[in-house]
Each structure stands twice: as structure tokens, then as C-alpha cells.
Amino acid sequence: MNAALRTTLGWVAAVLLNLGAVLFVIGLILPRSGDTSILQVGIWMLVIGAVVGGVWLYASRGTRKG
């Protein structure tokens, strides 16, 4: 995997994890409204961010030399 793609995956994972954490906390504070709560969106963003972060870690691990 080339360096640009690894960097992009790292940034995407970081953004998803940070936004997911913020939405999770907001979802705990605000009352539920509508079909989908902010808490659920935050949890899904955390899960997706963790998956992308795992792919990033796995891809980065194979490129080290030495």
C-alpha cells in the first residue's frame, strides 16, 4: 500500500473516531428525537473509525523495514 493511501486512511480513522466520540457524548446529554438518535450515529462512527484504524495499522505494519 502506498504512503498516500496509508496517510489518508490514518486521517479518516482519526476524524471518524473524534467525531464519533463527540457525537456519543452529545447523544448522552441530549434527549432522543426521531428514529435515529445522535448516540447511535456516534456509536456507528466509532465502530467504523475503529475498523478503518485497524486497516491502517495492519497496512502500516507491513511496510516497516529493519
Side-chain angles (χ1 to χ4, degrees), residues 23-43:
L23 288 176
F24 180 80
V25 170
I26 290 172
L28 291 174
I29 296 169
L30 294 178
R32 184 177 176 164
S33 61
D35 292 336
T36 304
S37 69
I38 294 174
L39 183 62
Q40 289 173 333
V41 173
I43 290 170

Side-chain angles (χ1 to χ4, degrees):
M1 182 180 292
N2 64 16
L5 184 55
R6 279 196 319 271
T7 302
T8 302
L9 278 176
W11 277 101
V12 168
V15 168
L16 287 173
L17 288 170
N18 284 313
L19 287 177
V22 169
L23 288 176
F24 180 80
V25 170
I26 290 172
L28 291 174
I29 296 169
L30 294 178
R32 184 177 176 164
S33 61
D35 292 336
T36 304
S37 69
I38 294 174
L39 183 62
Q40 289 173 333
V41 173
I43 290 170
W44 278 109
M45 287 183 78
L46 285 169
V47 169
I48 293 169
V51 169
V52 173
V55 171
W56 173 73
L57 283 174
Y58 182 76
S60 298
R61 192 177 141 209
T63 59
R64 293 189 182 148
K65 296 177 183 172

